[in-house]
Amino acid sequence: MPETHVLVPAGMLGAGFTAEAVDRGIALGAHAIAIDGGSTDSGPYYLGAAAPKMPAEAITADLRVMLLAAHRAGIPVIIGSAGTSGTDVGVDWVAGLVEDLAREHGLGLTVARIYSEQDPDDLVALLDAGRIHPLPPAGPLDAATLGRCRHVVGLMGAEPIIAALDAGVDVVVGGRATDTAVIAAVPLRRGAPAGPAWHAAKTAECGGQCTTDPRGGGVLVTVDDEGFTVEPLEETSACTPTSVAAHMIYENADPHVMREPSGTLDVRGARYRALDDRRVRVTGSTFTPQSPTVKLEGSGVVGYQSLALAGIRDPEVLASIDVWSKGLRDFVAAKVRDVLGREEPEVVVEVRCYGWDAVLGDLDDDRTTPREVGAVLIATAPDQETATKVVKLANPYLLHMPLPGMDHLPSFAFLSSPAEIPRGPLYEFLLQHVVAVEHPEELFRTRIEEVGR
Amino acid sequence: MSPTIGDVASLVRSKNAGPFWQTLDVFLPDDDAFRRVAEAPGLDEATVARAYRLDPATVRIFRLPDIRVVKISFPRPTPQGGVHDRDMHAGQQHVPLARLPLHP
């Protein structure tokens, strides 16, 4: 079997990379350019609102470099998790940017849109058929939870992408996909063994993260019958056995095994060897096929938030900041009860003191007196109006809350006028479940079109 | 005073592993430091569970001598981005681990 080279210019579409780095990977024989366009890592908002994290200008800049280089070389471009969360709106948004560029540069392109968004009614039917199962730490799913999701996507593996490439497309704009699927698809399609193909994909998923300079550029992976080789696209960067092996643990709960829709990658037998001072050779990873499953991601609104921020620099207050913040929270919660007739859990009032314990909360065992604190009062309510009302009600106390026994009213340093900042809906991830499918393409739909001709 | 895990490590970091799990990586500078942490009486499921207020049965500890890393994973106490989440990317959750003494 011939070896397969996949060029991964960056860890995420829109992150930015140079045309020179892409040209270097093409000169090394790249058979495809693959890049991940999203993640859950930025939080539940992007899926719940079906909104992208990156500005269109950043996506277009990266697309321009990839599409022009790939068109010259006659190789496909593969994008997964388009528009951050991989909703249908995200796929259409990125495909629209591809179309604009194709027209602008006179590139005739065949583009596949692979949709991964799931109809809640179809999912209820799958639930009733006993085909949806929880992953730890989730419990069994019920139809009500599905009903609370604003958007649900399924994570595709390599198979829908391979099918699109079989149809002869130049560009794949995929909905939600595993980070690895976009990279593994081309080696698998060309007959590479699954162990090295998936392990190479996991290694390259974050671009330069597996190199000695995680900030710089992307990588080229070369998969063959025995294993794979990885090298950076930037001449100033390097891959070492440690930098490559260490990437297997990144954002991964289990460093040895990784479940994909069609089976499980196991790297316990992997051996990492330096070929020279820039390239690393990896052998011994295995992949065991299993009954196919598709993981679901869903996000829904759990409330609406408003907040206000007061800066505290007064050393006397800071010396008892724990007493102050608890006093303020309890006082405001009582006001909300007395004046608005609302209480927890319907309306949640929190005070987080940035500079004191806001990040770790009661896990923080460092109780030294801070020099300055940003006290954020956060109200979460069933509607925006109530959330803002709570913060307005809290305003005089956030401004003037004294310590017990203080003989004057202090005034703190507000961030803004108006003090209250409406944040809009608060989303929460609601699914940690998989669907048992007949075949890996079952939950995905592909549309192919010609653009720019 | 016993040195802490952070004193011995070259890097301690934390991150989400999906919206419902978090994972902490302790990078050690050499084999000796790896052994000191990997075999530390102060580093077991019960100790980690106490520092993070978890059920010890949910804590997974991996000792990876080839890359001199001790990796710890456990379910997020609150789902990513929810009402009570204070750390969207779980990027600052390594600090209580780094402050644990090797010999309590």
Side-chain angles (χ1 to χ4, degrees), chain A residues 66-145:
Chain A
M66 290 194 301
L67 292 175
L68 290 176
H71 190 259
R72 276 196 303 273
I75 60 174
V77 170
I78 304 166
I79 298 156
S81 302
T84 305
S85 60
T87 55
D88 291 358
V89 170
V91 171
D92 289 335
W93 181 66
V94 172
L97 298 176
V98 169
E99 189 175 342
D100 292 346
L101 285 165
R103 251 195 245 109
E104 180 188 335
H105 292 281
L107 312 172
L109 297 176
T110 309
V111 180
R113 301 180 190 202
I114 309 179
Y115 295 105
S116 64
E117 197 158 340
Q118 306 300 313
D119 182 333
D121 291 340
D122 295 348
L123 291 174
V124 172
L126 290 169
L127 185 65
D128 291 342
R131 286 174 58 190
I132 301 185
H133 308 288
L135 297 174
L141 187 62
D142 55 41
T145 303

Side-chain angles (χ1 to χ4, degrees), chain A residues 152-285:
Chain A
V152 179
V153 291
L155 275 82
M156 74 179 82
E159 294 80 2
I161 299 167
I162 291 171
L165 294 169
D166 285 344
V169 304
D170 304 304
V171 181
V172 174
V173 181
R176 189 72 172 118
T178 66
D179 291 355
T180 39
V182 290
I183 303 168
V186 167
L188 290 172
R189 179 167 181 261
R190 286 167 51 89
W198 285 109
H199 194 185
K202 169 62 187 168
T203 302
E205 59 159 354
C206 289
Q209 183 100 27
C210 64
T211 70
T212 53
D213 179 13
R215 285 161 302 180
V219 293
L220 185 86
V221 284
T222 301
V223 187
D224 57 48
D225 279 336
E226 307 296 324
F228 73 94
T229 302
V230 53
E231 63 187 292
L233 294 173
E234 296 295 334
E235 281 161 340
T236 52
S237 186
C239 288
T240 68
T242 304
S243 78
V244 172
H247 188 68
M248 192 63 206
I249 66 176
Y250 187 66
E251 291 183 341
N252 209 7
D254 187 322
H256 303 302
V257 296
M258 200 178 66
R259 178 71 211 239
E260 290 289 337
S262 56
T264 298
L265 170 68
D266 188 331
V267 303
R268 269 172 290 201
R271 292 291 166 264
Y272 303 81
R273 182 165 58 85
L275 287 183
D276 49 40
D277 56 5
R278 297 185 74 247
R279 296 181 303 152
V280 170
R281 174 86 181 143
V282 185
T283 53
S285 17

Side-chain angles (χ1 to χ4, degrees), chain A residues 420-436:
Chain A
E420 63 276 6
I421 305 167
R423 279 201 60 243
L426 180 79
Y427 292 90
E428 193 165 291
F429 285 116
L430 296 169
L431 302 180
Q432 167 81 341
H433 298 81
V434 292
V435 182

